[in-house]
Amino acid sequence: MCIVAFAWQVLDEMPLCLISNRDEFYHRPSAALHAWQNSSIVAGQDLQSGGTWMGVTASGRWAIVTNFRNGRDQKSYTTSRGHLIQSFLESDLAPIRFARQLEQQQQDYAGFNLFVGDTKQAVYMSNRGEAPQVLANGVYVVSNGLMSEDWEKTRHLRKRFTQEFLPMLQQPQIAESAIDAAAWDILEDERKVIANLLPDTGINPEMEALLSSTFIQSPIYGTRCSNFLRLTDAEWQWLEKSQQGERQGQVIDLHVNLNL
C-alpha cells in the first residue's frame, strides 16, 4: 500500500472515511477483497508472503500499512509487513497497546508506516522515526515517507481529499454514484511532481518522478487496486476497484455489519 488519505472523527455519523491505492509489482500474486476463512478479517490478501495491506473486522477494528521508501537500505528482512495488519486485526489489544508492543520488534521489518484503530481510537507509528501516537480528530495523508514529512505528492492528495471529496460527503443530495466516481477520479490522478519538488529517498530521479503520482503506471510496477472505505455506526462500506489485469475496472462492493 503506497498512499492513503483518511478523515478520522471528522464527519457526522462516519468515524472513518478512507481512500487509498495499493501499489505493487504486477507479478506478485494476491487475492481481491473478501472475508477470510477461519478468521474475522475482511481484506485482500498477499498470496506470496501472507498477510494483507489493509483490512477490517466486524468488531470495528481496522488497519492499513504503507512502505517507507529508502533506496539506501540494502538489508534483507525475513518478516512480512503484511502480517502486521493480520496480527492487529486478530488481536484484542487496544490500538495504542498493540503499537507499543510492536515497538519492541519493529526493526525486524522493512520500513513501514502503520495505522491501527477501532471505533474509538486511531494510532500511527513508523519504524523509521515515528513513535506510536494516538491521533486527534482530523485528516491524515501518508505515502512512503513519514507522516511528519510534507511531500508534494501527499500535499496534492490532501488538497483534493479535503477540498473536493469530503464536502461531497456532507451534502445528502449528492448521489452515491457521484461520490464513488469522485473517489476514483482522485485515486486515478496521474499528475507527476516537478523535479525540484521530489523527495530524495535514495532512488534515481527518473524512478522518483515515476512514483510521484497518486496513480502509478509502469511496465512492471504500479497501482494494483484502489479503495474507498467508510465506517458508520452500523457497518463497514468498502469499495475495491481493480486497476490491473483481467479484472481491471471491476469494483467489489462489500458491506460488513458491525458486531460491537
Side-chain angles (χ1 to χ4, degrees):
M1 183 66 67
C2 279
I3 196 162
V4 55
F6 65 90
W8 170 246
Q9 302 288 0
V10 170
L11 301 172
D12 293 339
E13 300 180 356
M14 193 183 300
L16 179 68
C17 175
L18 180 153
I19 62 173
S20 67
N21 277 339
R22 180 207 177 201
D23 305 325
E24 184 54 87
F25 288 101
Y26 297 138
H27 69 265
R28 185 165 182 144
S30 63
L33 176 64
H34 67 287
W36 291 16
Q37 290 186 346
N38 304 316
S39 175
S40 60
I41 295 174
V42 176
Q45 195 164 20
D46 176 19
L47 300 180
Q48 178 172 303
S49 300
T52 185
W53 49 94
M54 171 179 169
V56 303
T57 70
S59 65
R61 294 172 79 82
W62 57 277
I64 185 167
V65 66
T66 76
N67 297 350
F68 179 89
R69 188 164 69 243
N70 182 0
R72 302 176 183 90
D73 183 2
Q74 300 302 311
K75 181 179 177 181
S76 296
Y77 299 87
T78 58
T79 48
S80 170
R81 290 165 288 198
H83 288 298
L84 297 172
I85 304 298
Q86 182 176 358
S87 295
F88 172 74
L89 295 178
E90 291 182 340
S91 80
D92 58 4
L93 293 174
I96 188 61
R97 185 177 175 191
F98 176 89
R100 286 173 176 163
Q101 286 193 5
L102 176 59
E103 270 193 300
Q104 309 307 312
Q105 297 86 33
Q106 64 180 0
Q107 295 309 317
D108 295 341
Y109 297 86
F112 65 77
N113 292 292
L114 178 67
F115 293 94
V116 293
D118 54 25
T119 59
K120 302 298 184 183
Q121 184 182 77
V123 170
Y124 164 76
M125 68 174 291
S126 172
N127 66 339
R128 295 299 185 263
E130 294 282 358
Q133 53 191 279
V134 176
L135 299 180
N137 300 357
V139 172
Y140 298 91
V141 184
V142 171
S143 180
N144 303 115
L146 297 176
M147 188 169 70
S148 58
E149 295 177 324
D150 195 21
W151 286 9
E152 177 62 23
K153 175 176 180 172
T154 54
R155 188 183 301 122
H156 177 65
L157 178 57
R158 177 187 294 274
K159 181 178 180 180
R160 295 201 65 187
F161 184 66
T162 56
Q163 297 185 12
E164 298 177 31
F165 192 62
L166 293 183
M168 294 182 67
L169 294 172
Q170 297 172 304
Q171 301 179 46
Q173 72 274 16
I174 296 181
E176 281 291 317
S177 58
I179 293 172
D180 298 346
W184 306 140
D185 182 67
I186 292 171
L187 290 171
E188 294 166 4
D189 189 339
E190 297 184 53
R191 171 187 179 270
K192 300 290 193 297
V193 174
I194 60 175
N196 66 326
L197 294 179
L198 291 171
D200 177 12
T201 65
I203 62 177
N204 67 65
E206 293 77 16
M207 183 60 68
E208 202 77 77
L210 177 71
L211 301 177
S212 70
S213 54
T214 302
F215 187 89
I216 297 170
Q217 285 186 305
S218 81
I220 62 172
Y221 178 92
T223 300
R224 296 277 300 271
C225 68
S226 300
N227 301 275
F228 175 23
L229 176 69
R230 285 177 284 183
L231 173 64
T232 70
D233 294 335
E235 66 174 6
W236 289 106
Q237 304 170 4
W238 190 340
L239 299 178
E240 180 192 81
K241 183 177 182 180
S242 178
Q243 301 287 9
Q244 181 248 347
E246 294 181 356
R247 292 190 59 256
Q248 184 171 358
Q250 294 185 20
V251 177
I252 296 174
D253 184 353
L254 196 151
H255 293 235
V256 180
N257 293 328
L258 292 181
N259 182 18
L260 301 177

